[in-house]
Amino acid sequence: MSEESGKGWWTAYRQVLPQPVLDLAELEAAADALHSYESLFIPGVLQIADYTRAIFMSSQSERSTSELERAVQFRMERQKILTQERPPTLHAVIHEAALHVRFGGTAVMRKQLLYLIRMAEMPHVTIQVLPFTAEGLSAFSTPFLLIGSHGAALDTVLVETPASSLYVHEREAVDKYTTRFARLSSTALTPLDAKVPASAHDSRDTLSLIQHLLYSLQEI
């Protein structure tokens, strides 16, 4: 990675976006696997543009229209790793709270939920929802992204806070987050699978929950 550093598509955004954001794109480009836990947002690589734009517009940061659009474009570029020739596997656990926060309004949120269903059709994408009813876990623990790379040799954890983005590389810390993600996944609803017939779905699996929310978002 050190030999490749600075040569990716993200370098075009050096004058627009902060370095930690560019570092994330570089790490994702070299990743074999991504394990994401989000409590209040849909993971960035699964967001539609309007949803992303609404998040940026609701933040306190002062951005011009052109800067905001460049940031949206950057996030959309990041998503291309999922459709490249050899994509990393993506396993996302999303807290149910994130599905209720309507960034961009009802129409945008409906499109976003439908997009999650489409993305889950990819064989290398797994999406689960951690319901409000989950027991034994902090409902709003700090979001994190486990980035697996080069056979665990370059495994990294990104921990996002309102103040900063922290990248963790120490093996002991990475192992702790790996265990944490496994626990979140085991507690979450079964993965989203649109190919399974409706009659086979449990009343509280991930697809059924999303379909219930889609019904509630229908415009009257």
Side-chain angles (χ1 to χ4, degrees):
M1 284 185 66
S2 62
E3 294 176 356
E4 298 280 337
S5 183
K7 298 180 181 179
W9 62 265
W10 50 88
T11 58
Y13 293 82
R14 277 180 173 170
Q15 304 303 318
V16 183
L17 300 174
Q19 189 60 44
V21 178
L22 305 181
D23 292 340
L24 173 58
E26 184 172 0
L27 286 166
E28 288 175 335
D32 304 315
L34 302 170
H35 294 80
S36 172
Y37 170 65
E38 284 287 353
S39 57
L40 290 175
F41 301 99
I42 304 300
V45 291
L46 295 174
Q47 294 177 6
I48 63 172
D50 286 341
Y51 180 90
T52 299
R53 187 175 293 107
I55 291 175
F56 290 157
M57 289 179 67
S58 68
S59 69
Q60 297 301 313
S61 59
E62 295 182 0
R63 283 177 170 154
S64 66
T65 300
S66 61
E67 288 173 335
L68 185 146
E69 289 304 320
R70 287 280 279 174
V72 172
Q73 182 184 23
F74 182 85
R75 185 160 293 183
M76 297 303 103
E77 287 286 338
R78 281 177 49 208
Q79 296 181 3
K80 291 181 179 180
I81 59 169
L82 296 178
T83 54
Q84 64 189 15
E85 185 176 352
R86 294 183 179 179
T89 58
L90 170 65
H91 188 170
V93 175
I94 308 169
H95 197 280
E96 184 178 347
L99 307 184
H100 288 269
V101 182
R102 298 183 182 183
F103 287 106
T106 299
V108 170
M109 200 62 204
R110 182 173 174 79
K111 290 178 182 178
Q112 176 63 74
L113 294 179
L114 288 170
Y115 185 70
L116 285 182
I117 295 175
R118 290 198 298 273
M119 293 300 289
E121 294 175 354
M122 294 183 175
H124 54 285
V125 175
T126 300
I127 299 173
Q128 292 179 270
V129 170
L130 184 68
F132 286 124
T133 55
E135 299 180 2
L137 289 170
S138 173
F140 298 102
S141 61
T142 303
F144 63 88
L145 174 65
L146 274 165
I147 305 169
S149 183
H150 293 71
L154 295 177
D155 284 357
T156 302
V157 181
L158 168 61
V159 182
E160 299 258 29
T161 70
S164 63
S165 298
L166 175 65
Y167 288 94
V168 180
H169 307 280
E170 293 77 11
R171 188 72 254 168
E172 182 178 357
V174 171
D175 288 343
K176 286 182 178 179
Y177 277 100
T178 301
T179 300
R180 175 68 173 170
F181 187 85
R183 188 179 177 197
L184 288 163
S185 177
S186 66
T187 308
L189 301 175
T190 53
L192 201 168
D193 188 352
K195 297 187 296 295
V196 175
S199 59
H201 282 284
D202 184 270
S203 60
R204 285 292 289 173
D205 67 5
T206 294
L207 180 59
S208 295
L209 176 57
I210 290 179
Q211 287 176 330
H212 173 74
L213 291 172
L214 283 169
Y215 180 80
S216 69
L217 289 169
Q218 286 183 347
E219 295 185 357
I220 301 176

